[in-house]
Amino acid sequence: MKVVKFGGSSLASGKQIEKVFQIVTSDSERKIVVVSAPGKRFAGDQKVTDLLIECAERCLLKQNPLEMLAAVIQRYATIAEELNLSSEIITEIQADLEERLNGDRSKPERFIDRVKASGEDNHAKLVAAFFQEKGVEAYYVDPRVAGLVVSDEPGNAQVLPESYERLYSLRERDGLLIFPGFFGYSKEGEVFTFSRSGSDITGSILANGVKADLYENFTDVDAVYSVNPFIVKKPKEIKEITYREMRELSYAGFTVLHDEALVPAFRAGIPVQIKNTNNPSAAGTRIVNERDNTNGPVIGIASAQGFCSIYVSKYLMNREIGFGRKLLSILEEFGLSYEHTPSGIDDISIILRENQFDKEMEGKITRRIKLELHADEVKFEHGLALIMVVGEGMRHNVGTMARASKALSRAIVNIEMINQGSSEVSMMFGVKEVDEKKAVQALYEEFFFPVVTV
């Protein structure tokens, strides 16, 4: 049995859904189909999820949402017309949206979750209707009825353990099952969404729950590439990669797969296959527990911007019991999460995503660290990019860090921070955002091929 998930671009139009139909029906092992909300049809287009969020926000501001509501309905209506579906499905979708928009607004975050979850929910109904119209035994599945239970965290729901046992019963159902991604229900019966691109998470949860043989994730690229193709032209395709490697690369900027999506499949030992809806014959990329490390120490290089560091220096810091805990406690009180903490004997740097705070909060944090920890120096450094070099083979190769550092030196890129995970599967470099592209190209040339710049 296979669970197969299609992203928003794969379901953005009637033409794309016809491709999905051909892919699903070409393999009888494809039993459960997870769908996203309609994505962009062309550059400059809007995703239905974004339209729904704007619609909900207008309601909360007591503004007229009819224009945005009409835009959402029109997207579904256009798809239905392209597929020659009855207008009944659009009437059903409109009634559902109006009911959600007229619902309880006393808890704004929950209200937004209910509205934006309708993107996937209604699209699953439309896709199921199309499969039925084509003579296939297919059924829309309500996540609440199926037993997908999640925590009550708006926009960041986590699957609860009891879901897996409940979802197993889907194996016994007849026909193709069309399941909406992105959301589940709390124990109290309220809708809560996963983080963005959460349909990947739904697919992984279902694969775990039904004990699938394979989880196929269809997107709009032929494979996962060893580096961002917008930075290096025609980069090497990755044929096979481990869960751990993919998780590290997803965290640092690979957008093919949601970085949380792998966890349920990983725990169940289910391989994941990345495929292209527009080129289904391409081999794609397979994500597995273990692989042969025959391709050198590095399998991929990823980068992401939007980070900053808090540098704290204090003489004899290493002898002061509880210094690190006190420092992180100050950040916790401001509601900040951190990414990394490289340190020396008398100094420590805290790496954070800088969209978490503003200049005013920066000043307050600086004053508290100086006052409460008696630090000699506290300095914020903005505009950092993190570059992740990943590969299981690094554990068995000597000198990988040296090669990476020399490559950056040759490219005249100053390293602001270095951090290597204890697993030795990844190493991270902090550089200035203006040097990001140059740094990635230098590392790619060192570990793969001469760079063809974009």
Side-chain angles (χ1 to χ4, degrees):
M1 177 190 288
K2 298 178 182 178
V3 171
V4 53
K5 176 260 175 183
F6 291 92
S9 61
S10 299
L11 297 160
S13 67
K15 183 179 179 181
Q16 288 297 99
I17 293 174
E18 287 176 350
K19 292 179 186 178
V20 168
F21 176 81
Q22 294 300 326
I23 290 168
V24 172
T25 56
S26 68
D27 186 345
S28 61
E29 290 297 306
R30 290 171 176 142
K31 167 78 172 177
I32 300 176
V33 181
V34 178
V35 304
S36 302
K40 291 184 178 181
R41 297 160 293 183
F42 46 82
D45 195 17
Q46 281 188 284
K47 298 178 180 180
V48 163
T49 300
D50 291 333
L51 292 171
L52 288 166
I53 291 172
E54 188 173 345
C55 193
E57 289 174 344
R58 287 193 182 187
C59 287
L60 291 171
L61 293 171
K62 297 183 179 179
Q63 297 175 355
N64 192 332
L66 291 181
E67 180 184 347
M68 302 309 303
L69 175 61
V72 173
I73 296 298
Q74 186 56 49
R75 285 293 300 276
Y76 288 111
T78 299
I79 293 171
E81 288 169 10
E82 292 170 346
L83 297 174
N84 295 314
L85 291 177
S86 164
S87 61
E88 290 180 9
I89 186 66
I90 301 305
T91 301
E92 181 181 349
I93 289 172
Q94 182 166 352
D96 174 78
L97 276 168
E98 289 174 351
E99 182 180 352
R100 292 174 191 248
L101 291 171
N102 291 322
D104 181 15
R105 304 177 190 176
S106 61
K107 297 178 179 178
E109 289 183 329
R110 297 191 180 200
F111 174 72
I112 290 175
D113 263 19
R114 282 197 304 274
V115 173
K116 70 182 180 182
S118 69
E120 278 73 10
D121 201 32
N122 285 315
H123 210 27
K125 295 171 186 175
L126 188 152
V127 171
F130 176 64
F131 274 66
Q132 293 163 5
E133 183 71 18
K134 298 287 283 186
V136 174
E137 185 182 7
Y139 304 97
Y140 157 79
V141 178
D142 184 339
R144 184 177 185 180
V145 175
L148 180 49
V149 187
V150 300
S151 60
D152 54 351
E153 300 173 79
N156 193 37
Q158 306 294 313
V159 63
L160 298 185
E162 57 262 39
S163 294
Y164 296 112
E165 185 176 345
R166 296 178 182 182
L167 292 168
Y168 186 78
S169 63
L170 293 175
R171 291 183 65 98
E172 310 305 319
R173 293 190 54 171
D174 295 330
L176 276 171
L177 307 182
I178 313 298
F179 202 106
F182 191 37
F183 72 96
Y185 285 84
S186 68
K187 291 181 178 179
E188 290 72 34
E190 288 206 47
V191 173
F192 289 95
T193 65
F194 301 118
S195 50
R196 286 300 293 261
S197 301
S199 292
D200 290 340
I201 300 175
T202 303
S204 188
I205 291 168
L206 287 169
N208 181 314
V210 301
K211 305 301 180 230
D213 300 304
L214 180 67
Y215 169 34
E216 293 181 306
N217 193 298
F218 277 81
T219 180
D220 53 6
V221 294
D222 282 349
V224 177
Y225 296 102
S226 53
V227 71
N228 187 340
F230 291 105
I231 295 178
V232 175
K233 191 174 182 180
K234 295 181 179 179
K236 180 182 177 183
E237 291 185 4
I238 300 173
K239 299 299 182 184
E240 191 171 64
I241 187 171
T242 67
Y243 283 111
R244 185 157 43 181
E245 289 169 330
M246 191 66 203
R247 169 73 174 90
E248 298 274 4
L249 291 169
S250 295
Y251 160 78
F254 274 34
T255 57
V256 173
L257 195 65
H258 192 288
D259 62 346
E260 295 177 25
L262 294 172
V263 177
F266 166 73
R267 287 174 176 164
I270 297 167
V272 178
Q273 190 79 29
I274 306 297
K275 300 275 285 181
N276 188 351
T277 304
N278 302 313
N279 186 20
S281 62
T285 298
R286 195 172 183 88
I287 307 172
V288 295
N289 277 319
E290 296 180 1
R291 66 176 179 86
D292 294 329
N293 295 307
T294 57
N295 64 329
V298 175
I299 196 167
I301 301 165
S303 63
Q305 296 187 359
F307 294 90
C308 73
S309 69
I310 307 175
Y311 173 79
V312 181
S313 175
K314 183 178 183 182
Y315 186 59
L316 299 180
M317 179 190 295
N318 65 313
R319 297 189 185 181
E320 187 171 333
I321 296 173
F323 186 91
R325 175 184 58 78
K326 294 172 186 175
L327 175 59
L328 294 178
S329 293
I330 291 173
L331 299 183
E332 182 182 1
E333 288 180 30
F334 282 94
L336 302 178
S337 62
Y338 72 96
E339 305 293 324
H340 308 279
T341 57
S343 63
I345 58 172
D346 291 329
D347 52 36
I348 185 171
S349 292
I350 311 294
I351 309 299
L352 312 93
R353 295 185 186 271
E354 56 185 352
N355 60 3
Q356 298 183 89
F357 57 90
D358 55 20
K359 203 70 178 176
E360 181 182 356
M361 186 184 294
E362 179 179 324
K364 290 179 180 178
I365 292 169
T366 300
R367 288 191 291 275
R368 283 198 57 182
I369 293 173
K370 285 183 176 180
L371 178 65
E372 297 175 25
L373 301 183
H374 307 290
D376 298 325
E377 184 180 6
V378 180
K379 182 173 65 176
F380 277 74
E381 185 164 355
H382 297 276
L384 294 181
L386 297 186
I387 300 173
M388 188 84 80
V389 180
V390 176
E392 298 271 5
M394 288 195 292
R395 291 183 292 178
H396 312 292
N397 284 264
V398 176
T400 308
M401 178 67 79
R403 288 177 62 186
S405 299
K406 287 180 181 178
L408 294 174
S409 176
R410 286 194 300 270
I412 316 177
V413 174
N414 186 51
I415 301 172
E416 305 290 333
M417 178 270 291
I418 296 177
N419 194 24
Q420 181 164 22
S422 56
S423 67
E424 296 185 58
V425 173
S426 66
M427 53 189 178
M428 180 175 288
F429 299 91
V431 303
K432 291 292 187 181
E433 288 182 347
V434 294
D435 291 328
E436 176 194 9
K437 185 174 181 179
K438 183 167 59 171
V440 170
Q441 289 172 344
L443 291 167
Y444 183 84
E445 186 162 335
E446 174 65 31
F447 293 107
F448 295 97
F449 311 111
V451 167
V452 179
T453 58
V454 176

